[in-house]
Amino acid sequence: MREVKIAVKSASVAIEIEDLKVNYGAQRVLHGVDLDVVPGEFIAILGSSGCGKTTLLRTIAGFQKASGGAIRLFGKDVVDTPPEKRGIAMMFQSYALWPHMTVLGNVGYGLRLRGMSKADVRARVETVLRMLNLTGLEDRKVTNLSGGQRQRVALGRALAIEPDLLLLDEPLSNLDAKVRIQVRAEIKSLQSRLGFTAIQVTHDREEAMTMADRIVVMDQGRIAQVGSPKEVYDNPVSPFVASFMGADNTIDLDVRQGASGLEVRASGQDAPTLWSGRAPMGSVTAYFRDDVATIQDLGAKSEDAIVLPGTITQRTYPGGHYRYLVATGDRHFTVTDDRYLDLGNPVGLRLPLESLHLFPSAQ
Amino acid sequence: MSRPSLLGFLLIAPALLMIGVLFLYPLGFSLASAVTAGGQLSLTHFEKAFELYSTDILFTIFVVIVSTILTAIFSIMIAGVLTLSETPWLVAGLRALYRWPLFIPFIVAAQCMRTFLAKNGLMNNTLVATGVLEPLQATSFLDWRGIIITFVWKQVPFVTLMLAGAMASIDRATIEAGRNLGASRPRILCELVLPQVAQTLLVGLVLSFVTMLSVLSVPMMVAGSQPTMLTVDMAFRINSYGDYATANALGVISYALSAVAAWIYLRHNVKREVQA
C-alpha cells in the first residue's frame, strides 16, 4: 500500500484525499478515508447501501462538510471551498435535470454561467449532444425524454463545461438492464476519449468491474480495499471484500504445519491436502464463488483441490448445462455440470485451492 | 353511474343551499341592483360611481398592484433564504419569526401601524433618536404608503409559507446541480428554483391580490383621508346615504378587478397544461 502511494504521488495527483472524516450530527459516517486518484483514472467506489460511498462523493463535491482531513484537487485543498467554486462536475442519481428548461437550457447552463455567448453555447451544446447521440433534441423539454435520454442529458450537462473531474452518483441505477449495459460502455469510451478523471459510486459489482481502472471497496465508512478489478476479485483482503465480490460460500477448514508443508483439511475429509501458498494457521474459513466448485467422482484423487463427499439432492436444467444442489454435511452448494447425474448419487465436491480465499475464522 | 343518485344529491344539498343563500343570491342581487335603475336596465349607477370615485378606483388598483409586487419580492427573498441559506442561525431565526403576522388580524395590524407610522410614531422617533432623521424631516406615513406597508407586512408571511413549502418539495439535487456547475445563490433562486415553483407563487399572489382588494379596516384606519380604497367608499355609500345601488356598482368594479387576477391565473394554468 505504501509503495503504491509513493508511486502515485510522483505522477501528478488529480484528487488526494487524506484521513477524511465526516459526521452526520454525532454519528461518524466516514472514519478517515485515504485515497489518491491520478489524472485520467476511472475509479469506482463500491459498497452496500449505507457504507458511506455516496457521502464520500458528496464530500468531494462539497455538498457535505468534512469534519476532519483534507481533500486536495490538483494540489489545492478544497475542504473549505463551497461546491460552486470547486469546478468539479457531478452527475446525480436522480439526474436532477431542470424540468422548466429544454435540453439546450440544461446542457448549456454551465456554459452560460461562464459567460459564453448564446451562439457559442448553442454550438458547444450541439457538439456535446452529437457526442451523446442526442442530435436534434436541443429544443425538446427534458420532461418529454425517455429515461436513457435524460441520463445522457445529465451526462452532457456535466461534460459540457469540459471538467477535469467528473463525479457520478449511481448514474445507471435508474435505467433498465439493456440500456444500462449500453450506457456503461458509452461512458467508459467517452472517458477514455476526453481524458477526464472520473469517480463513480455504485453498488453494482459488475458495473464497477467493467468500467473502473481501480475499485475502492468501502465498508462501514472505511476503505476495505483498493485495487484493480482483477486484484480485488482474485485477492480480496478481507472476508467482507471476498463475499462482496461474489465469494459468498464458506466452508470451515483446519490449517496445520505438516511434514511437507501446510496442510488443509475440511471436516469430513479423509486426508489433508497440501497448501502451497500462505495461509493463516488454525481454524480458518474459506470463501469461494459458486462457479469454482465442480463435481467429480468420489474416488478420484485430486492434488490441488479439496474434495468434499456429498450427495446430489436436486437437479435443474437452466439451459446449456445442469445445475445441481449438492449436500455435504449440513451444507448445500450449487454446482453446474454438463453431465446428467442421478439424484441421490454420492459425488465429490471439488474446490480448487487457488480459488479459495482463506481467512481466520471469527471467534 | 347513469342516473344521479338521490341520496348523493341529498348529501350535498345543505352545502349547495348554503352557497346559494349566502353567496349566489346576494351576488346576483347586488349585480342586478347595480345595473338596474327604477326597474329598468341602466348604467347610471356606474356613471355615478366613476364620476365620484374614479380617483379611488385608480388608487385602489395602484395600492393593490404595488403591494402584490412588493409581497412577491419579499416572499421570494425570505423563502429563498429559508431554502438556500447555509447559515443555521439565520434560517432558524427567520423560520421562527416570519409566520407571526399570519395570526394577527388586519384590524389589529392596522392599529399597530397607526402608532408605528404616525408622525410622532415609533418609527420616526427611533429614526430621530438614532440621528438618521432630523425631527423636522419626520413625516407621517399614514397615507398610501401606510396601506402598502400594512398589506405587505400582513401578506408576505402567507405567500412565503406557500412558497417555502413548494421550494422544500422540489428535488434538492436540482439545486445542488446548479451549485455544482458554479451558479451563485441568487442565480439558483431566480433561474432554477423560482421557475419550478412559479405556479405556487402565482396562486399565492392572486389570493393576496383578492384579499387586499377586499380589506376595509386597513385603509379606514391607516389612511383616513382622500384618496382612499373602494371598500371604504362602499361602506361610506351604505352607512351615510343608504345608497346601495352605487355601493353595488363599486362592488361590481371590485369583482372585475379580482376577475382580471383570476383570468391571469387561469390563462397561465391553461398554458402550462398545453405545454405539458
Side-chain angles (χ1 to χ4, degrees):
Chain A
M1 192 62 220
R2 208 65 237 172
E3 295 129 12
V4 172
K5 214 168 173 185
I6 291 160
V8 164
K9 274 205 173 140
S10 62
S12 73
V13 186
I15 310 176
E16 203 181 340
I17 297 166
E18 204 179 291
D19 196 27
L20 185 68
K21 297 185 183 79
V22 172
N23 294 353
Y24 284 150
Q27 200 185 354
R28 174 149 292 184
V29 287
L30 288 187
H31 306 262
V33 168
D34 292 280
L35 181 67
D36 288 342
V37 182
V38 296
E41 199 174 17
F42 198 119
I43 296 277
I45 304 177
L46 185 62
S48 45
S49 62
C51 72
K53 58 189 192 299
T54 297
T55 304
L56 175 58
L57 199 75
R58 290 177 58 80
T59 313
I60 297 172
F63 296 121
Q64 178 63 48
K65 281 214 161 26
S67 12
I71 303 171
R72 281 183 281 272
L73 302 181
F74 299 97
K76 193 177 136 239
D77 193 349
V78 294
V79 158
D80 296 317
T81 312
E84 58 267 30
K85 303 233 165 73
R86 292 197 185 187
I88 306 175
M90 177 157 170
M91 206 191 124
F92 293 81
Q93 185 173 11
S94 66
Y95 308 151
L97 297 177
W98 300 303
H100 56 286
M101 290 186 187
T102 58
V103 171
L104 175 69
N106 270 280
V107 177
Y109 191 72
L111 303 171
R112 255 175 58 207
L113 287 176
R114 280 154 185 74
M116 214 182 245
S117 76
K118 247 185 175 160
D120 288 350
V121 170
R122 210 179 167 94
R124 172 95 189 105
V125 169
E126 205 185 302
T127 319
V128 172
L129 293 185
R130 197 176 324 121
M131 197 165 73
L132 295 164
N133 295 323
L134 291 171
T135 309
L137 291 183
E138 279 94 337
D139 299 313
R140 185 83 72 85
K141 274 242 167 190
V142 290
T143 42
N144 297 340
L145 296 176
S146 72
Q149 286 171 325
R150 281 179 205 208
Q151 198 270 354
R152 279 173 230 212
V153 172
L155 184 62
R157 181 174 67 184
L159 292 179
I161 58 169
E162 297 180 311
D164 294 320
L165 192 57
L166 178 67
L167 307 179
L168 304 120
D169 185 8
E170 307 244 5
L172 310 178
S173 61
N174 290 331
L175 299 177
D176 54 52
K178 206 174 153 193
V179 183
R180 198 182 304 168
I181 288 169
Q182 186 192 343
V183 177
R184 205 190 268 172
E186 282 175 10
I187 293 181
K188 183 68 193 145
S189 74
L190 273 175
Q191 191 258 341
S192 43
R193 185 140 55 93
L194 301 176
F196 54 85
T197 311
I199 301 186
Q200 169 163 350
V201 157
T202 179
H203 62 263
D204 184 331
R205 171 163 49 98
E206 201 189 311
E207 190 177 301
M209 297 285 293
T210 51
M211 293 177 79
D213 300 320
R214 277 198 300 157
I215 291 179
V216 176
V217 184
M218 284 191 71
D219 179 28
Q220 293 174 18
R222 289 186 176 82
I223 290 182
Q225 188 172 1
V226 182
S228 68
K230 190 163 167 52
E231 238 168 79
V232 176
Y233 194 78
D234 291 343
N235 298 308
V237 296
S238 68
F240 172 81
V241 179
S243 56
F244 198 83
M245 297 309 287
D248 44 11
N249 299 296
T250 57
I251 50 164
D252 291 324
L253 298 174
D254 195 47
V255 182
R256 274 166 213 284
Q257 187 67 50
S260 51
L262 288 181
E263 295 174 343
V264 294
R265 184 207 287 261
S267 62
Q269 208 186 2
D270 306 334
T273 316
L274 276 179
W275 182 270
S276 53
R278 285 154 49 121
M281 300 296 284
S283 93
V284 301
T285 306
Y287 290 75
F288 62 94
R289 268 179 281 282
D290 273 342
D291 56 3
V292 302
T294 49
I295 292 176
Q296 71 170 37
D297 294 336
L298 203 48
K301 265 280 158 216
S302 204
E303 282 294 302
D304 47 1
I306 291 174
V307 181
L308 298 171
T311 333
I312 295 175
T313 58
Q314 205 183 71
R315 177 186 61 230
T316 50
Y317 185 73
H321 47 71
Y322 291 93
R323 184 177 292 156
Y324 297 99
L325 202 62
V326 177
T328 76
D330 53 351
R331 306 288 306 277
H332 288 79
F333 298 101
T334 314
V335 190
T336 57
D337 199 282
D338 291 337
R339 291 167 294 172
Y340 178 89
L341 299 166
D342 286 321
L343 290 184
N345 253 11
V347 290
L349 183 71
R350 184 179 187 275
L351 303 170
L353 290 179
E354 56 176 21
S355 309
L356 297 181
H357 310 298
L358 301 189
F359 300 103
S361 295
Q363 294 303 309
Chain B
M1 200 188 290
S2 57
R3 198 169 53 89
S5 137
L6 186 67
L7 185 69
F9 180 74
L10 280 177
L11 281 174
I12 60 158
L16 273 181
L17 205 67
M18 292 293 275
I19 293 173
V21 171
L22 295 178
F23 179 68
L24 289 178
Y25 173 72
L27 177 70
F29 186 80
S30 67
L31 266 176
S33 77
V35 295
T36 52
Q40 295 241 306
L41 269 184
S42 141
L43 289 175
T44 47
H45 304 309
F46 283 94
E47 277 165 25
K48 192 170 172 191
F50 278 111
E51 193 183 311
L52 292 172
Y53 298 113
S54 56
T55 321
D56 286 355
I57 293 171
L58 291 177
F59 179 79
T60 302
I61 295 173
F62 169 76
V63 164
V64 173
I65 287 179
V66 172
S67 302
T68 306
I69 292 169
L70 290 177
T71 302
I73 293 171
F74 283 113
S75 307
I76 291 168
M77 275 166 31
I78 296 174
V81 170
L82 290 177
T83 314
L84 299 174
S85 171
E86 282 182 337
T87 318
W89 63 264
L90 181 66
V91 174
L94 211 51
R95 198 179 294 282
L97 284 178
Y98 87 92
R99 273 177 267 212
W100 281 54
L102 271 181
F103 301 102
I104 294 169
F106 269 109
I107 188 146
V108 178
Q111 173 69 10
C112 295
M113 284 299 170
R114 260 197 90 80
T115 54
F116 181 70
L117 298 172
K119 189 160 189 214
N120 292 310
L122 185 60
M123 185 179 76
N124 281 340
N125 283 350
T126 311
L127 291 178
V128 169
T130 51
V132 178
L133 216 64
E134 290 296 311
L136 283 178
Q137 289 175 303
T139 54
S140 167
F141 268 62
L142 294 177
D143 48 19
W144 60 275
R145 291 170 296 185
I147 302 179
I148 291 175
I149 291 171
T150 315
F151 277 168
V152 172
W153 185 80
K154 189 73 184 71
Q155 287 309 119
V156 162
F158 170 69
V159 179
T160 306
L161 191 71
M162 291 179 72
L163 207 54
M167 285 183 185
S169 67
I170 65 172
D171 181 4
R172 268 311 286 187
T174 59
I175 297 171
E176 289 177 346
R179 296 192 70 188
N180 179 250
L181 288 176
S184 63
R185 238 61 75 81
R187 284 196 80 149
I188 289 176
L189 179 62
C190 296
E191 294 175 358
L192 304 182
V193 175
L194 214 47
Q196 292 191 62
V197 296
Q199 193 73 3
T200 310
L201 176 65
L202 198 67
V203 173
L205 291 180
V206 167
L207 292 177
S208 285
F209 184 91
V210 174
T211 304
M212 291 188 287
L213 208 54
S214 59
V215 172
L216 172 66
S217 50
V218 172
M220 198 103 131
M221 291 187 75
V222 172
S225 59
Q226 290 292 319
T228 189
M229 293 182 69
L230 287 182
T231 47
V232 179
D233 296 330
M234 284 159 74
F236 178 73
R237 288 306 323 166
I238 292 171
N239 292 336
S240 303
Y241 296 102
D243 180 4
Y244 282 88
T246 311
N248 282 334
L250 288 172
V252 171
I253 293 167
S254 289
Y255 286 144
L257 292 177
S258 308
V260 171
W263 176 72
I264 291 173
Y265 166 64
L266 284 175
R267 206 181 62 136
H268 188 84
N269 241 1
V270 169
K271 228 195 232 167
R272 275 180 79 94
E273 267 165 31
V274 167
Q275 271 176 354

